[in-house]
Amino acid sequence: MKAKSPQALSTRCVHAGEARDAHGSPHTPVYTTTTFAFPSTRALLDVVEGLKPGSLYTRYGLNPTIQSLEAKLASLEGAEAALAFSSGMGAEAALFLAYGRNGIVCLGDAYGGTLELLADQLPQLGIRTTLLLGDELERLDELLADGYGLVFLETPTNPVLEIFDIQALAGKAHAHGARLAVDNTFASPVNQQPLALGADLVVHSATKYLGGHSDITAGALMGPAELVASVAGWRKNLGTAPAPETAAMLARSIRTLVVRVRQQNQNALAIAEAMERHPRIRRVLYPGLASHPGHAVAADQMSGFGGMLTIEIDADTSATSAVVDRLQLFAIAPSLGGVESLATQPVTTTHHGLSDPERERRGISGSMIRLSVGLEDAQDLIADLEQALDDPRG
């Protein structure tokens, strides 16, 4: 008998994990219940001891709405299991506490909150951390040989869109008995599948593309069931499971993930190409451009290049802020991945907390504008950027 082929991602986004109730709802209802009753002590113990699946207590994540979402999240990344969190930082914190106690190597740039957690806070708990830039990869073998147990990275990175070879780094980590965790927020599961490339665990700020409407804060972690189970206890006692209402809204948003991201891919590429031709633009950082230093690797491991790009203007920080201030369709705001387009100078938001020397070391200048491209018409967005750049006031 011919094996059934796996369903496409767009189909799984709609149907995976959904539990139909007695009234025929096509989607899992929102169970706002905090605790769940049992017909007997034996039935309760079966769930408490993990002998049978079931609902128990919402803070533990044992709530039907959350569990339904987690089945959908696992399906997105082709994972055995997933955990939903109240934020992406909640997912990262639980990941680092579960698997980073022997040492964490962070490769390349990352979200400012992640860098603060790694550089300042985890060392206070006695967890050693090392932050390596992309041009310092030759040091990775030495650190892994010294017993570091977790390699963590974003690809593409925030905000310079650096690309790392997931398969090569997974092989290097595994050769030393370490694990590789990838933050897949910028790419989304539509454009990149890190587990299929050899990563051990994947995390997301689900606030971004998975949520997609700038109306929820959530996080996710996906991977093999055994590895995910070790993170679950940290989530339970850190109290970082999402509310059922948030879980239901995230599941709603995931149903349209593929169509949203594919359109954002198209819009971002059109904008990147237009900005590359503009005389006031010093450079455009977008992995879909042949001029991007990581384009070849991105083309190999990604099926789309995402809705994020960074432009660097031939101007100082003040003049760059003036360009941002003249934008009309792009809202000036942090975050990303929503249906509306956003613009931000990383020096004012995501990486504002870094010192000037550290920003310079990471190649983050005041002339950079990070764009999160939404679902507006691409030509309207290009026109908005051009009018802001072409203003005679500078």
Side-chain angles (χ1 to χ4, degrees):
M1 181 177 178
K2 186 177 180 180
K4 184 179 179 181
S5 60
Q7 293 177 326
L9 179 60
S10 55
T11 302
R12 286 181 275 128
C13 283
V14 175
H15 294 290
E18 299 292 349
R20 286 164 173 74
D21 70 350
H23 300 286
S25 170
H27 306 303
T28 305
V30 184
Y31 288 85
T32 58
T33 318
T34 57
T35 190
F36 294 84
F38 293 83
S40 68
T41 299
R42 182 64 262 165
L44 181 148
L45 286 173
D46 283 343
V47 174
V48 170
E49 296 171 357
L51 301 176
K52 292 182 180 179
S55 299
L56 176 67
Y57 193 57
T58 292
R59 178 172 64 80
Y60 294 4
L62 297 181
N63 174 294
T65 308
I66 298 172
Q67 291 167 320
S68 172
L69 167 66
E70 290 173 342
K72 192 181 293 290
L73 289 170
S75 178
L76 296 183
E77 293 282 6
E80 289 181 347
L83 292 172
F85 288 82
S86 56
S87 69
M89 288 302 300
E92 288 186 1
L95 165 69
F96 295 153
L97 289 170
Y99 290 110
R101 295 192 300 278
N102 290 331
I104 305 167
V105 182
C106 177
L107 298 180
D109 214 336
Y111 171 60
T114 302
L115 295 177
E116 184 179 3
L117 178 63
L118 287 167
D120 300 333
Q121 294 169 317
L122 290 178
Q124 295 178 38
L125 303 178
I127 297 175
R128 56 181 179 165
T129 62
T130 298
L131 311 182
L132 296 183
L133 297 185
D135 59 4
E136 298 174 319
L137 280 178
E138 73 280 356
R139 294 181 54 198
L140 182 57
D141 278 317
E142 176 188 348
L143 293 168
L144 292 172
D146 192 37
Y148 278 70
L150 181 67
V151 179
F152 174 83
L153 59 92
E154 298 180 7
T155 183
T157 63
N158 179 18
V160 300
L161 286 301
E162 185 175 13
I163 301 295
F164 286 100
D165 187 328
I166 296 172
Q167 189 168 24
L169 290 169
K172 189 180 290 289
H174 296 160
H176 291 273
R179 294 187 173 93
L180 176 69
V182 175
D183 183 333
N184 204 29
T185 299
F186 263 37
S188 89
V190 179
N191 293 325
Q192 186 169 264
Q193 295 276 306
L195 297 178
L197 294 167
D200 297 287
L201 291 160
V202 176
V203 294
H204 285 267
S205 172
T207 308
K208 312 304 192 299
Y209 285 102
L210 299 186
H213 295 78
S214 302
D215 58 3
I216 60 169
T217 302
L221 179 142
M222 300 86 144
E226 182 180 2
L227 296 183
V228 171
S230 296
V231 182
W234 288 100
R235 181 188 68 170
K236 179 182 77 170
N237 291 325
L238 290 172
T240 51
E245 296 90 341
T246 300
M249 290 182 70
L250 179 53
R252 166 219 62 181
S253 296
I254 290 172
R255 294 174 198 130
T256 63
L257 175 66
V258 172
V259 293
R260 285 189 286 106
V261 170
R262 285 177 178 168
Q263 186 60 54
Q264 286 165 316
N265 289 345
Q266 292 180 27
N267 285 357
L269 179 59
I271 292 169
E273 291 173 341
M275 290 298 98
E276 200 169 39
R277 296 188 296 267
H278 197 284
R280 287 201 66 190
I281 300 299
R282 184 179 300 151
R283 60 175 177 157
V284 179
L285 299 173
Y286 184 68
L289 295 175
S291 59
H292 190 283
H295 176 70
V297 175
D300 185 54
Q301 72 183 17
M302 301 178 74
S303 56
F305 299 109
M308 300 299 300
L309 67 143
T310 294
I311 58 176
E312 190 166 20
I313 298 176
D314 190 10
D316 60 17
T317 302
S318 178
T320 302
S321 296
V323 171
V324 172
D325 290 346
R326 287 193 293 270
L327 291 169
Q328 298 171 7
L329 280 179
F330 284 87
I332 306 172
S335 198
L336 58 106
V339 297
E340 68 290 326
S341 293
L342 306 177
T344 184
Q345 287 173 272
V347 297
T348 68
T349 52
T350 58
H351 293 73
H352 182 262
L354 298 182
S355 65
D356 289 341
E358 183 62 17
R359 283 199 294 264
E360 183 177 356
R361 190 176 82 91
R362 293 179 173 274
I364 301 170
S365 73
S367 302
M368 285 181 168
I369 303 173
R370 192 193 73 178
L371 303 176
S372 172
V373 179
L375 297 182
E376 303 93 340
D377 186 88
Q379 294 306 312
D380 289 336
L381 294 171
I382 291 169
D384 189 31
L385 287 163
E386 289 177 342
Q387 68 79 25
L389 286 164
D390 296 342
D391 191 291
R393 291 172 292 178

